Amino acid sequence: MNRRPCAIPHSLSQPFVLGERGVWSGTPTRRSVLAGLASTAFVPATVRARSTYSIRQALDAAAATDPDEGLRLLASFDAAKLQPSDRLDLTTARAGLAIDAAIARSTFGHPGRSPYRVTPTIGAWKAARPDHAKIDADTALILADAEAGIILPRLSLDRTVEALRSAPANPTIDRQIAALGSLRDSAPSLPGVGQFRDGADWYALQLQRSLGTVTPAYAERRLFAELNRLHARATPLFDKIGAPKGSIADRYARLWRDDRFLYPDSDAGRTDAIADMNRMLASAQTHIPAAFGELPAWCLNAAARPLYAPEIASGRGGYREIPTPTRPGAYIIDLKDIRRRPCWTLPGVVAHELLPGHMIQLGLESANPPHPLRIDYASAFVEGWGIYAEQLAEQSGAYADPHVALGHIHWLLFRVARALVDLGIHLHGWSIEQARERLIEWQGEPAYFAPFEIELARLPLEPAARVAEAMAWLAIADTAPGKPPIAYHTALLAGGRKRIDDIRKITL
C-alpha cells in the first residue's frame, strides 16, 4: 500500500516563501506589523472609550428600530473622525441598513437570510422555550405573505411541516401546520425566488446585504471563470497521478473511493487522521510569520480533535472553538463517516478551519468584536477568509503532492458550484433535479459536511448566501496581487470583518 500523501506532510515542510501576486516573500519586521495592527484592531478599549461611547449607543439604537429610523440615528456621525474600527461599524451599518430599508419596501417586506417567515430552521417555533403568541404571529405573517404571493416552494413547505410535526405538540404549532397545509396547492413547484414579483430585484439586494456592491450578473461571470480555471487545473493533475480518462466528476468519484487514501473505520483510523491534521498544523504554524508578521501567540494556539462520544451520540457535527488569550482554539472534526474523508482532503480543512484560516481571523476579531450590525452586514467575509486561507496554504507549497492538490481544488469547486447553483435556482428557474445534475457535473463528489440533498434543501431557503461567501473569497483573492502579503493581510484583518467595498479600497 502506498503511503498516504497527507500522512507525510512533506510539502508542508518546504520553505514557506511567496512572491508576486500573493506569493509569500520577504521577512516580516516587527515594526511593519505592529504599526498596522496598533492603528486599529489592538487599540485598548480604554483608549477607544471616548470615541465609541456615543457611536455605540447610536448603533445599538439603530439595531433596535426599523432601517429608515436606524439610518436617521446614524446620519449625524462623521466617519472620518472615528477610530478605524468604529468607522467600519458605522459605514457597514449604513450600507446594510440602506439595503434593509429597500427590502422592507419591497414585495418581500422583511430583511433576513430568508424571504420566508418559517422554515425547518427559522421561526418562533425553534426557540428553546417557544412563545405561543410569537408562533401565532408568525402564522399570521405566513398568510399575509401568501396574499402578496410569497409562499414556500412545495418541497420546502413539506419539509417545514414535517419539522413542525416533530416539535412538542401545542395548539399554536397545530395552527401553523394547518396554515401551511392550506397553502400547499398554491405553493410553487420551482424553488427559486425569481418567479415571485420583484424576486430578481430582491435577490440582488440580498446578495449585497452581507457582502457589498456586487451584481448577480458579475458574480455569475466571475464564478464561471473560476469554475473553468479549476477544471483546467484538475485535468493535468489527474493525468499526472495516472487516473483513468473521463469527466471531472467521474475522476473525482474514482479517486474518492481509492482505498489507498482512506482511513480505517476504527478508533485507530480516527486517531491517525487527527494526528495527520495536527502535524500539518504544526508545520503551518512555522510559516505564519512570512504571511502575517507577528501575531498574538494565543491566536495560533489551536489544534484538531475528534468529536467526543456524547457529541456523536447527540448527532452533533463538526464545529470550531475560537482561541482567546485564556483559552486555546480547536477544530472539532466530524469523523463519524471516516471512509468519506480521503486523507488528501484534510490539508484544505486544516488551512480553512485552523491556520491560516478561521483561528487567525476570528481570533483577532474576538479581541475587539465588531458591533452586531457589522457582524450581520459583513457576514460573508468570514467564510470568504477561510476559503482564501486555503489558497494561502497552496501558495506556501502545502499541496505539492498532486493528490492533495486535487483535494484543494475540490474544496474550491464545492464553493463555486454551490454558488452557481444558488444563482441557477433563483434567477434562472432551475428545478432541484437540474441543480443536482449541475452539482454532480461540476464537482463530482459532495463535500463531507454538505451532501447534495442537504445543500439542495438549504439553497432555496437562503437565497444568495452561498454566492456572497464565494464572492467575498474572490474579492479578497483578486485584490491581493501586487500587494506585499504582510501589509495586505494586516490591512485586511485589522479592525475585523469588512464588506467587499472596503476590501477593494485597500491600497498599499
Side-chain angles (χ1 to χ4, degrees):
M1 180 182 293
N2 292 342
R3 297 187 71 182
R4 299 190 305 273
C6 42
I8 315 171
H10 171 74
S11 60
L12 289 175
S13 67
Q14 300 305 304
F16 196 81
V17 213
L18 282 177
E20 292 185 6
R21 300 184 64 82
V23 184
W24 302 119
S25 65
T27 301
T29 67
R30 178 181 178 84
R31 179 179 298 176
S32 67
V33 178
L34 296 187
L37 295 180
S39 67
T40 51
F42 298 107
V43 176
T46 53
V47 174
R48 298 177 62 247
R50 290 189 298 278
S51 68
T52 60
Y53 184 70
S54 58
I55 184 62
R56 278 275 166 169
Q57 282 186 322
L59 288 164
D60 288 345
T65 188
D66 66 84
D68 283 316
E69 176 62 13
L71 288 168
R72 188 192 68 76
L73 291 170
L74 300 178
S76 63
F77 289 91
D78 183 350
K81 295 180 179 179
L82 297 173
Q83 294 280 353
S85 184
D86 298 329
R87 183 162 60 247
L88 277 172
D89 282 345
L90 176 63
T91 58
T92 300
R94 283 174 171 167
L97 288 168
I99 291 170
D100 273 350
I103 289 174
R105 289 188 289 271
S106 74
T107 303
F108 292 78
H110 72 101
R113 291 179 64 87
S114 179
Y116 309 109
R117 309 284 182 166
V118 175
T119 74
T121 59
I122 63 174
W125 77 277
K126 290 290 293 181
R129 295 182 178 180
D131 183 314
H132 293 186
K134 290 181 179 179
I135 295 172
D136 275 337
D138 276 351
T139 302
L141 290 168
I142 289 169
L143 296 173
D145 287 345
E147 289 293 321
I150 309 300
I151 304 174
L152 276 165
R154 189 168 300 145
L155 183 57
S156 300
L157 188 149
D158 289 344
R159 287 174 172 150
T160 302
V161 168
E162 182 181 354
L164 286 165
R165 285 178 174 150
S166 70
N170 72 64
T172 57
I173 294 285
D174 292 342
R175 286 194 287 273
Q176 196 158 95
I177 291 170
L180 287 167
S182 72
L183 300 173
R184 191 177 189 282
D185 289 344
S186 52
S189 58
L190 290 175
V193 298
Q195 64 195 308
F196 300 138
R197 181 166 62 89
D198 300 327
D201 292 338
W202 178 88
Y203 185 94
L205 289 170
Q206 189 70 7
L207 176 59
Q208 294 185 50
R209 187 179 185 273
S210 66
L211 175 66
T213 308
V214 170
T215 66
Y218 171 77
E220 188 164 44
R221 290 194 301 273
R222 181 66 185 85
L223 288 162
F224 267 119
E226 193 65 18
L227 178 74
N228 293 334
R229 186 185 76 86
L230 292 169
H231 280 177
R233 288 187 60 201
T235 298
L237 288 168
F238 277 117
D239 292 344
K240 186 174 183 178
I241 66 173
K245 296 294 184 182
S247 67
I248 292 292
D250 290 341
R251 297 178 106 178
Y252 267 118
R254 283 192 290 268
L255 184 60
W256 218 275
R257 290 158 183 79
D258 189 328
D259 195 64
R260 293 175 299 164
F261 308 114
L262 300 179
Y263 294 97
D265 187 4
S266 64
D267 289 344
R270 291 174 177 82
T271 298
D272 284 348
I274 295 295
D276 283 350
M277 292 180 71
N278 282 321
R279 278 194 290 272
M280 298 168 200
L281 179 61
S283 181
Q285 287 173 323
T286 67
H287 305 318
I288 293 300
F292 298 92
E294 186 174 337
L295 292 171
W298 54 263
C299 219
L300 309 180
N301 183 13
R305 76 159 175 85
L307 290 164
Y308 294 134
E311 294 174 318
I312 295 173
S314 70
R316 187 167 191 178
Y319 63 98
R320 65 182 76 102
E321 294 174 345
I322 302 305
T324 71
T326 59
R327 186 191 70 187
Y331 180 56
I332 295 83
I333 186 169
D334 179 354
L335 295 173
K336 293 189 292 289
D337 189 6
I338 196 170
R339 302 290 283 179
R340 283 281 305 148
R341 287 273 198 189
C343 70
W344 44 265
T345 67
L346 295 183
V349 177
V350 170
H352 184 108
E353 295 291 348
L354 290 158
L355 298 177
H358 289 311
M359 297 295 139
I360 290 179
Q361 187 269 316
L362 289 172
L364 288 175
E365 187 176 83
S366 70
N368 182 27
H371 188 273
L373 285 175
R374 176 149 59 108
I375 289 175
D376 188 16
Y377 295 139
S379 59
F381 180 91
V382 175
E383 196 60 19
W385 171 264
I387 305 167
Y388 174 70
E390 298 173 41
Q391 291 185 304
L392 292 185
E394 177 191 25
Q395 291 164 0
S396 77
Y399 310 142
D401 183 287
H403 299 88
V404 176
L406 284 165
H408 164 60
I409 290 169
H410 188 269
W411 280 118
L412 300 186
L413 283 172
F414 157 62
R415 309 291 178 177
V416 171
R418 69 175 180 174
L420 285 168
V421 166
D422 186 329
L423 287 157
I425 286 172
H426 293 291
L427 296 187
H428 301 309
W430 291 1
S431 67
I432 292 296
E433 290 71 26
Q434 288 173 308
R436 184 185 293 104
E437 289 171 2
R438 296 290 79 75
L439 286 175
I440 294 170
E441 174 189 350
W442 290 335
Q443 72 182 78
E445 286 288 316
Y448 178 88
F449 60 86
F452 291 149
E453 292 310 311
I454 290 177
E455 283 298 293
L456 292 170
R458 291 177 61 189
L459 287 168
L461 302 178
E462 298 178 359
R466 306 288 84 82
V467 183
E469 292 170 353
M471 291 308 296
W473 150 46
L474 291 171
I476 295 170
D478 291 347
T479 307
K483 296 179 175 62
I486 294 173
Y488 179 55
H489 299 145
T490 297
L492 192 63
L493 297 180
R497 67 191 67 195
K498 296 170 177 62
R499 287 169 68 79
I500 196 171
D501 311 78
D502 292 305
I503 296 169
R504 289 168 172 164
K505 290 176 185 174
I506 296 174
T507 55
L508 302 168

